[in-house]
Amino acid sequence: MKKVIIFCISQFFFFSLFSQSKISIIPQPVEVKITPGSFLLNSATAFHAEKGLTNIINIFNDHIGKSTGFKLKTVPNSGKNTISLEILSSPEIQLGTEGYRLQVTNESIRISANSPAGIFYGMQTLVQLLPSEIESKSQVKGTKWSIPAAQIMDKPRFAWRGLMFDVSRHFFTKEEVKAFIDNMARYKYNIMHFHLTDDQGWRIEIKSLPKLTEVGAWNVKKTGRFNYFSAPADDEPRDYGGFYTQEDMKEIIKYAQDRFVNIMPEVDVPGHSLAAIASYPDLSCTPGTYKVNSGEQFMNWYDGGFSAMIDNTLCPANEKVYTFLDKVFTEIAALFPFEYIHMGGDECAKNFWEQNAQIKELMKNQNLKDMHEVQAYFVGRVNNIISSKGKKMMGWDEILEGGLVKGASVMSWRGMKGGIEAAKKGHEVVMTPTTHVYLDYMQGDGAIEPPVYASLRLKKSYELDPVPTGVDPKLIKGTQGNIWTEQMFNNRHLEYMVWPRAFAVAEVAWSSKNSKNWEGFVGRVEDHFKRFNNADIKYAPSIYDPGINVKKDAKGKLLVDVETEINGLTIYYSFDNSFPDNYYPAYDGKSIEVPVDAAPMKLISYRNGKPIGRMMTISIEELKKRAK
Ligand code: ACM
């Protein structure tokens, strides 16, 4: 009998432990205690909450209503089968303004926080405790909407948890932007940095400058690989693109605010300004006829520098430019409630300025010794304009060059160096280094991914610590993933590029540093893949595909090694043009010798005897190139 009781107790613990594996929250909360039992959500479950939280309840109901087929009512009293949402009357200091407690028992659920934001984040966690079918866009029959009993305490590491969305290189509709915000909110992001202007399109209506959207929002539709397109003919229709009216933008801002996402607008100047110059050519130092770029090459990039083949810069020596910017920032500041406006400042080619008499005159008058100081003069003028509208200015780390203007905040993208320098000077910093958070880079090996000039795997994104040693951590506001959309022609490919790396960035931004655990994270990522499958959101399966490294031995023979980001994969390969499967040779940790007359190498990964990666093909020429 004793043995039977011990067996039953051990089974009970086994099953409660087993239920632990069902909890898979991204970003990882500060504290999770699993307790025995579960709460069953059904159509009789009701909310108990104060009026100010109705919006949050509506968003939850819209989310779960599609898959469950029911929406939860609100009742005056808490009790059995209720979800109570409680703003704490005496604040719990350790939760801060965005933290929450979530308690799930067999009978009821309680979320408490110091603010509605905390309640909202508790609700996002609650959704992630439901089975993955909750994400389905149509009603799911036969699933029990069971929530494991648990006690969770949670709060973010950083106040700035952002994604930058470039809608200039390719335009995304208002509905696509809202869907993007929905996904941000689910992973507790709170800032969408909206890159609204660039060489390929001006996307926000400025009522006092109508040509910006009549001319600047439109280019020629091209299909293929951006930056390699032929130049459009003069008579090709310029009908590709679009813009948000100020009414559209108000709707987007409200939608984001309801989900506790602030929107930081970026107007990228003085470089990246071809769309503005095509609209108002006398803003350039070299007035002429300009066209919005359609993805044909117009910049030269070389080791250690770049130059523009077409002048895409605003002219710092032209007073009309500052009148123009005053108009733009007056309307932008009135539209966007967020305290920061981003003025870009990155990658400004100086080759046209160097030749320009007006610039030479400006340098003499203002005692500017080089082009960096010319740009710093411009940034200073922009800072005055933005400050005069009651906003704080942020810029890419190039605004350090020539002297950083007082009060400016820096977004460090060329590594963390600029951020460190700015923080040491007492400026606020957001860390967005290319090395870890550039979500436009390929997520896997170039042999399988749509081509981009650089690669950034999930593991590397997960490894970021935004706070470098030797700086005041209070000045590091947080981090964000940057999504440049040159090669993202549609919403499905945007999703593919963003996920799963935006899981990693969310976790870097929210979760405590000491909770980091790559193996645990990847397990949760795979659980969230199931959620995305149900939600019909695309993501890159690149964690299942190997990276291919090549070297030459002393005799010049090509040797291939493969590496995987996750454990438990076996890589099979061929050199005879046939598709490898699990009957083929497998990589066993020793370099693979490439046969003399080999056909292109093909590879595929398997897990537990089943194919899980994609069939990859790499030419012998490419292997030779990599060996160099
Ligand atoms: C940037 O990536 N040019 C900020």
Side-chain angles (χ1 to χ4, degrees):
M1 183 62 184
K2 211 165 152 190
K3 271 192 188 154
V4 171
I5 291 170
I6 289 171
F7 175 77
C8 289
I9 291 173
S10 67
Q11 287 301 292
F12 173 77
F13 278 109
F14 173 78
F15 283 114
S16 23
L17 274 178
F18 188 68
S19 72
Q20 204 163 344
S21 67
K22 296 229 167 66
I23 289 197
S24 190
I25 301 163
I26 296 177
Q28 179 66 28
V30 173
E31 254 175 49
V32 179
K33 283 194 202 123
I34 317 279
T35 50
S38 61
F39 177 92
L40 198 64
L41 186 92
N42 55 39
S43 57
T45 306
F47 277 106
H48 166 67
E50 57 193 75
K51 273 219 173 65
L53 301 174
T54 307
N55 237 343
I56 294 177
I57 291 172
N58 291 343
I59 290 169
F60 177 86
N61 271 334
D62 285 347
H63 189 165
I64 66 146
K66 296 187 198 92
S67 50
T68 62
F70 54 76
K71 293 195 176 187
L72 308 187
K73 293 191 185 62
T74 300
V75 292
N77 298 310
S78 59
K80 231 174 148 181
N81 204 14
T82 60
I83 303 174
S84 351
L85 308 181
E86 187 188 344
I87 303 281
L88 295 164
S89 47
S90 43
E92 196 185 326
I93 302 298
Q94 71 153 331
L95 293 181
T97 51
E98 295 182 294
Y100 64 90
R101 283 187 189 277
L102 167 61
Q103 288 160 299
V104 181
T105 69
N106 290 344
E107 307 231 307
S108 63
I109 293 175
R110 178 171 179 264
I111 299 175
S112 54
N114 295 329
S115 70
I119 300 286
F120 183 77
Y121 294 130
M123 296 280 270
Q124 302 318 305
T125 296
L126 182 63
V127 172
Q128 292 191 17
L129 291 176
L130 280 155
S132 64
E133 290 82 0
I134 200 72
E135 300 297 341
S136 174
K137 287 183 176 148
S138 54
Q139 197 173 341
V140 179
K141 296 266 164 62
T143 294
K144 271 194 174 346
W145 303 112
S146 157
I147 302 173
Q151 292 189 12
I152 295 175
M153 190 287 281
D154 201 9
K155 61 177 176 179
R157 180 177 176 201
F158 293 107
W160 190 292
R161 306 181 301 277
L163 287 181
M164 188 219 71
F165 190 6
D166 166 11
V167 288
S168 173
R169 271 52 179 276
H170 284 101
F171 180 67
F172 291 82
T173 64
K174 191 169 62 179
E175 294 316 315
E176 288 165 341
V177 173
K178 285 183 182 175
F180 184 89
I181 292 167
D182 282 339
N183 290 336
M184 288 184 71
R186 284 173 200 170
Y187 292 94
K188 303 188 177 90
Y189 281 103
N190 67 345
I191 288 165
M192 184 174 84
H193 168 174
F194 218 4
H195 185 79
L196 289 167
T197 74
D198 214 302
D199 301 308
Q200 291 76 19
W202 185 283
R203 305 297 180 205
I204 174 71
E205 177 189 28
I206 301 295
K207 290 184 197 272
S208 57
L209 296 160
K211 283 193 184 160
L212 285 174
T213 42
E214 284 165 17
V215 175
W218 307 100
N219 62 4
V220 176
K221 182 170 169 53
K222 296 274 183 174
T223 304
R225 189 169 175 200
F226 190 95
N227 211 32
Y228 292 83
F229 292 140
S230 52
D234 283 346
D235 59 353
E236 277 189 83
R238 294 194 158 259
D239 55 4
Y240 182 60
F243 65 94
Y244 313 105
T245 63
Q246 293 200 358
E247 287 311 304
D248 289 336
M249 194 55 87
K250 283 181 196 158
E251 192 181 319
I252 292 170
I253 292 166
K254 167 82 170 68
Y255 191 87
Q257 272 176 335
D258 285 347
R259 287 151 185 80
F260 298 88
V261 172
N262 283 304
I263 299 185
M264 175 174 67
E266 178 183 352
V267 173
D268 197 352
V269 288
H272 288 279
S273 291
L274 198 50
I277 292 166
S279 312
Y280 295 99
D282 57 357
L283 297 176
S284 138
C285 287
T286 44
T289 306
Y290 291 90
K291 292 273 165 67
V292 179
N293 179 261
S294 301
E296 69 277 17
Q297 193 192 346
F298 78 102
M299 298 283 287
N300 282 317
W301 301 94
Y302 44 86
D303 239 5
F306 56 88
S307 62
M309 292 141 68
I310 294 171
D311 188 3
N312 67 336
T313 64
L314 302 186
C315 187
N318 180 352
E319 282 306 310
K320 280 187 194 161
V321 164
Y322 303 107
T323 310
F324 165 83
L325 289 174
D326 195 278
K327 286 182 181 168
V328 170
F329 287 123
T330 299
E331 294 191 35
I332 293 277
L335 199 50
F336 291 87
F338 193 47
E339 60 184 317
Y340 291 90
I341 292 177
H342 199 298
M343 55 69 62
D346 59 319
E347 297 178 322
C348 177
K350 313 290 194 313
N351 50 306
F352 286 93
W353 294 1
E354 279 160 0
Q355 310 300 323
N356 186 267
Q358 272 177 286
I359 295 281
K360 286 187 184 139
E361 188 67 20
L362 177 78
M363 290 174 80
K364 209 163 72 199
N365 293 342
Q366 297 293 328
N367 200 20
L368 308 171
K369 71 173 181 308
D370 60 20
M371 288 303 138
H372 287 322
E373 291 196 359
V374 172
Q375 177 157 337
Y377 165 83
F378 173 87
V379 174
R381 297 278 307 259
V382 173
N383 187 54
N384 291 344
I385 295 171
I386 290 177
S387 311
S388 75
K389 315 296 168 207
K391 301 287 184 181
K392 295 203 233 174
M393 189 188 82
M394 187 174 280
W396 297 109
D397 59 51
E398 284 92 334
I399 66 170
L400 280 150
E401 293 164 354
L404 184 53
V405 62
K406 195 164 165 267
S409 303
V410 171
M411 195 163 260
S412 189
W413 72 280
R414 296 175 298 176
M416 313 256 271
K417 202 167 50 47
I420 294 169
E421 187 186 330
K424 286 193 170 158
K425 290 180 171 146
H427 293 253
E428 290 179 330
V429 168
V430 178
M431 288 294 189
T432 70
T434 54
T435 47
H436 292 78
V437 295
Y438 263 47
L439 307 191
D440 56 325
Y441 287 7
M442 295 184 291
Q443 307 188 61
D445 196 283
I448 182 89
E449 297 297 338
V452 181
Y453 59 91
S455 192
L456 167 61
R457 296 201 82 132
L458 179 66
K459 190 158 195 261
K460 185 87 184 202
S461 290
Y462 188 70
E463 281 166 2
L464 175 66
D465 181 359
V467 182
T469 48
V471 302
D472 178 357
K474 284 202 286 301
L475 290 170
I476 309 299
K477 295 178 71 65
T479 187
Q480 75 179 24
N482 291 340
I483 302 152
W484 302 104
T485 58
E486 285 95 328
Q487 308 296 348
M488 300 178 207
F489 291 76
N490 60 58
N491 200 50
R492 291 298 279 178
H493 193 54
L494 171 83
E495 290 174 354
Y496 175 95
M497 295 305 291
V498 173
W499 309 102
R501 283 180 299 195
F503 293 148
V505 180
E507 187 138 323
V508 167
W510 177 281
S511 304
S512 60
K513 192 175 156 184
N514 59 16
S515 73
K516 268 204 179 161
N517 173 336
W518 167 248
E519 303 298 337
F521 172 69
V522 165
R524 285 180 286 121
V525 165
E526 291 203 73
D527 288 337
H528 283 248
F529 282 171
K530 288 184 205 132
R531 291 182 171 266
F532 272 34
N533 290 342
N534 283 308
D536 206 12
I537 300 169
K538 201 167 185 174
Y539 56 87
S542 316
I543 54 167
Y544 301 119
D545 298 322
I548 301 165
N549 301 320
V550 196
K551 60 188 178 206
K552 275 186 186 158
D553 71 6
K555 292 188 182 138
K557 259 195 215 139
L558 285 178
L559 299 173
V560 174
D561 284 287
V562 298
E563 57 178 345
T564 59
E565 282 192 284
I566 60 172
N567 293 331
L569 302 182
T570 308
I571 314 299
Y572 297 96
Y573 62 91
S574 76
F575 286 104
D576 59 7
N577 275 326
S578 65
F579 295 114
D581 61 15
N582 52 338
Y583 289 81
Y584 276 61
Y587 178 69
D588 61 2
K590 285 201 223 79
S591 303
I592 303 165
E593 246 185 58
V594 178
V596 176
D597 295 314
M601 186 179 194
K602 290 190 193 292
L603 312 94
I604 189 164
S605 60
Y606 272 61
R607 183 163 72 181
N608 302 327
K610 297 214 165 62
I612 189 154
R614 296 167 290 184
M615 186 64 69
M616 293 170 67
T617 302
I618 182 162
S619 68
I620 302 301
E621 287 68 39
E622 175 63 19
L623 291 177
K624 283 182 184 156
K625 207 161 95 191
R626 289 190 187 192
K628 279 194 184 138

